[in-house]
Amino acid sequence: TSNHDTIGMVIIDANADVSVGTSTNGATHKIPGRVGDAPLPGAGAYVDNAVGGAAATGDGDVMMRFLPSYHAVELMANGATPSEATRSAIERIKPFYPAFTGAVIAADKKGRYGAACHGIPTFSYCVFNNHSDAVQVITVDCI
Amino acid sequence: MAAISKFPWCLALWCSVSHAFASARSTKDDTEPIPIVVTTWANQGFVAATDRAWRHLQTTGDRLGAVVEGCSACEEMQCDRSVGYGGSPDESGETTVEALLMDGPRHRMGAVGDLRRVKSASRVAYAVMNYTKHSLIVGESATKFAIEMGFTEESLQTDESKKMY
């Protein structure tokens, strides 16, 4: 496992209201006092109740410079699907930091969801809705 | 079952149920039912955290509480040792934690960064949201805030994290 995984969660309730959250212990051997992307709005996670939510995980020192969660939600506000939006958020980082590792998940008020990733072969994430009575594990190929 | 071999940790009974869909390899851009819970990563703890968030949402209807429960589950299980206590020691060997919560309807937020000697980062972030006008509290001052809110001050080091250091 990589040393900068974070739990990021997007929840949309039956009224189509949205909450997001993250929790992490940061990067191993970080300089004391370092804060990553996880507690930062728009970086670690973001919500727009008219649209949906997104959350990010990975190399927070790099990813926070691009506000990938805000970016993904804003793209969904402009009509992108969750997988298109997360893909664009990851693509924005690549030219500057071709070696970064990270992933973004997103869901919208229609219950659509998606993810995109970079720096690892595939990324797996969890989905739970009424289509099953258990957690669904979804895997995407990274870009 | 091919799906099981992809998850060698998947020995517990519940896993055989929870990975009934493990071969799914896509995103869902078609309309799907809500409510929905989506969580980064899918190792054992993250699956259990997603399950706990879903159950909390189903029983209470409280989506924000469900986010707190799900993230707290990972803190307690030390998901991948990258969430919660006893992982990712810094250059001085200490584990510090951080968490964020955002709630859509009123665009509320609570967060902690560089939180020290308190395990429940998500619940402290929830307290920041509910009991202050602020968004983000950090470092030793966040520890002081948490203690005032009734959280326990304790070392986040474990034998494992000392070894990693």
Side-chain angles (χ1 to χ4, degrees), chain A residues 100-128:
Chain A
F100 90 101
T101 296
V104 181
I105 60 167
D108 69 13
K109 289 164 72 82
K110 294 175 181 168
R112 301 183 298 182
Y113 56 85
C117 50
H118 183 261
I120 46 177
T122 61
F123 169 70
S124 293
Y125 63 106
C126 296
V127 173
F128 211 146

Side-chain angles (χ1 to χ4, degrees), chain A residues 1 3 5-14 16-36 38-41 44-47 49 57 81-83 105 107 109-115 120 122-132 134-141, chain B residues 6-7 17-19 21-22 24-43 46-47 49-51 53-54 57 63-64 66-67 70-71 74-75 80-84 87-92 95-105 107 109 111-112 114 116 122 136 164-165:
Chain A
T1 53
N3 69 13
D5 304 345
T6 297
I7 183 167
M9 196 169 262
V10 179
I11 295 188
I12 302 173
D13 69 16
D17 288 325
V18 189
S19 289
V20 297
T22 65
S23 182
T24 188
N25 55 28
T28 303
H29 304 311
K30 61 181 173 269
I31 293 174
R34 177 264 193 188
V35 172
L40 306 180
Y46 195 71
V47 62
N49 206 54
T57 177
T81 65
S83 52
I105 60 167
K109 289 164 72 82
K110 294 175 181 168
R112 301 183 298 182
Y113 56 85
I120 46 177
T122 61
F123 169 70
S124 293
Y125 63 106
C126 296
V127 173
F128 211 146
N129 62 17
N130 280 322
H131 272 185
S132 71
V135 175
Q136 306 170 56
V137 173
I138 312 289
T139 301
V140 286
D141 294 321
Chain B
K6 272 179 68 182
F7 298 93
V17 177
S18 68
H19 282 104
F21 295 83
R25 195 178 182 82
S26 68
T27 52
K28 264 285 187 205
D29 284 331
D30 302 326
T31 303
E32 289 266 310
I34 52 174
I36 184 170
V37 176
V38 185
T39 309
T40 57
W41 305 108
N43 301 338
F46 297 91
V47 170
T50 305
D51 189 67
W54 175 261
L57 183 64
R63 73 188 166 275
L64 185 60
V67 173
C71 290
C74 254
E75 292 164 9
D80 278 1
R81 298 296 184 272
S82 67
V83 183
S88 305
D90 68 16
E91 279 187 348
S92 71
T95 294
T96 61
V97 291
E98 35 202 49
L100 164 69
L101 291 170
M102 293 189 80
D103 190 36
H107 210 72
M109 173 184 157
V112 286
D114 189 29
R116 292 161 183 255
S122 296
L136 172 62
M164 290 164 76
Y165 168 64

